Amino acid sequence: LSSFLSSFSALSEVSSSSFSEESDKKYVALTFDDGPNDTYFTDTLDLLWKYDALATFFVVGQNVAKYPEELNRVLDEGHEIGLHSYSHTNYTNYTIEQVNADIDKCQSAIYDVTKTYSSILRLPSLSMPTYFVQRQINYPLIGAKFSSSANVLSGTVADGDIILIHNGIGSANVASDMQNLEAVLQKLTNEGFEFLTVSQLFEKKGVTPVKGTKQYSNVSAPSQTTSGQETTTATTGQMG
């Protein structure tokens, strides 16, 4: 009996230690908007590979067919592809029929190249349509806690945060975002973060994302505060 109790005690200590180590881990979701392209896309993937970092790429449908090799590399290396409209159209004044038609067009472009469907959406420029339209969108809406690499470098990233970085042509932030990307990866690695895709982050936190009614800027476990799951953007910078 004494031997059994000693073994049980040792096992409990190992289990408790493992649980503590798991609960101490910090996770972050890097996301990249407006690709694919032939200027920054490959460089982004190369840096992510170097740092063993996973990420989510919110792509613009009209760019997809031009870069099939780059887009398939995203999936081959374990990253995630998200929807970001067909032509980066602002949805603010769209009807639900117009929104759905544009999203479907983007979805079809991605499927034609990758033979996969995307399950998450980032609105162009994070522009919210009317609430009546928004709540009818049949995808989880992904926002961002940080909207540029400069904001990440100057700010404090928390467990579960979603970070938006531009690697597509046309954004005012894209040059500085790409210039600072390795510094962002270094900083977050040194701070002990593990890089997950957005869908992995939801799964890791045990959260089933709701569709349409909110934009997620942070994903917190159900037992934690849910304030980070509301429609919030904590930093400045050009969006989406």
Side-chain angles (χ1 to χ4, degrees):
L1 179 60
S2 175
S3 176
F4 172 79
L5 290 175
S6 296
S7 298
F8 181 79
S9 176
L11 181 61
S12 297
E13 288 177 7
V14 170
S15 299
S16 176
S17 174
S18 299
F19 177 79
S20 176
E21 289 175 6
E22 182 68 24
S23 63
D24 287 344
K25 286 186 177 180
K26 298 187 296 183
Y27 303 98
V28 67
L30 286 181
T31 67
F32 295 90
D33 281 16
D34 303 343
N37 58 71
D38 56 6
T39 305
Y40 299 111
F41 211 75
T42 297
D43 290 344
T44 301
L45 288 167
D46 289 346
L47 274 176
L48 293 172
W49 180 267
K50 177 180 176 180
Y51 284 86
D52 195 24
L54 295 178
T56 301
F57 291 80
F58 288 95
V59 300
V60 177
Q62 66 182 7
N63 299 337
V64 165
K66 304 173 189 176
Y67 305 100
E69 184 176 339
E70 289 82 353
L71 202 65
N72 278 296
R73 182 183 167 189
V74 169
L75 297 180
D76 289 343
E77 296 183 0
H79 307 294
E80 181 175 24
I81 296 172
L83 301 154
H84 196 44
S85 82
Y86 185 78
S87 57
H88 210 276
T89 305
N90 189 312
Y91 289 163
T92 303
N93 297 314
Y94 268 33
T95 65
I96 187 58
E97 290 78 16
Q98 291 172 311
V99 170
N100 284 338
D102 191 72
I103 295 172
D104 288 348
K105 196 173 180 181
C106 182
Q107 186 77 273
S108 295
I110 294 170
Y111 182 82
D112 286 346
V113 169
T114 67
K115 301 306 181 226
T116 63
Y117 291 107
S118 297
S119 61
I120 54 176
L121 169 68
R122 173 168 284 152
L123 299 173
S125 303
L126 298 183
S127 57
M128 300 293 284
T130 65
Y131 184 72
F132 174 76
V133 170
Q134 177 193 333
R135 65 189 178 89
Q136 296 181 74
I137 295 175
N138 199 34
Y139 294 91
L141 304 180
I142 309 304
K145 191 69 172 292
F146 294 86
S147 58
S148 73
S149 58
N151 288 333
V152 174
L153 294 176
S154 64
T156 302
V157 179
D159 178 41
D161 278 350
I162 298 172
I163 295 169
L164 187 165
I165 294 176
H166 291 91
N167 72 340
I169 305 303
S171 166
N173 289 346
V174 64
S176 61
D177 269 354
M178 290 297 96
Q179 183 178 355
N180 292 328
L181 177 55
E182 184 157 21
V184 167
L185 288 163
Q186 288 175 338
K187 173 183 176 177
L188 296 177
T189 298
N190 291 340
E191 291 178 357
F193 282 95
E194 181 177 338
F195 301 94
L196 302 179
T197 68
V198 169
S199 291
Q200 287 173 337
L201 183 60
F202 280 116
E203 183 177 359
K204 181 67 70 173
K205 294 297 185 180
V207 173
T208 300
V210 298
K211 299 176 180 179
T213 57
K214 62 177 69 174
Q215 287 196 87
Y216 290 89
S217 62
N218 174 281
V219 181
S220 301
S223 59
Q224 299 173 359
T225 176
T226 58
S227 61
Q229 298 178 26
E230 301 303 323
T231 306
T232 58
T233 304
T235 57
T236 58
Q238 182 174 348
M239 299 296 180

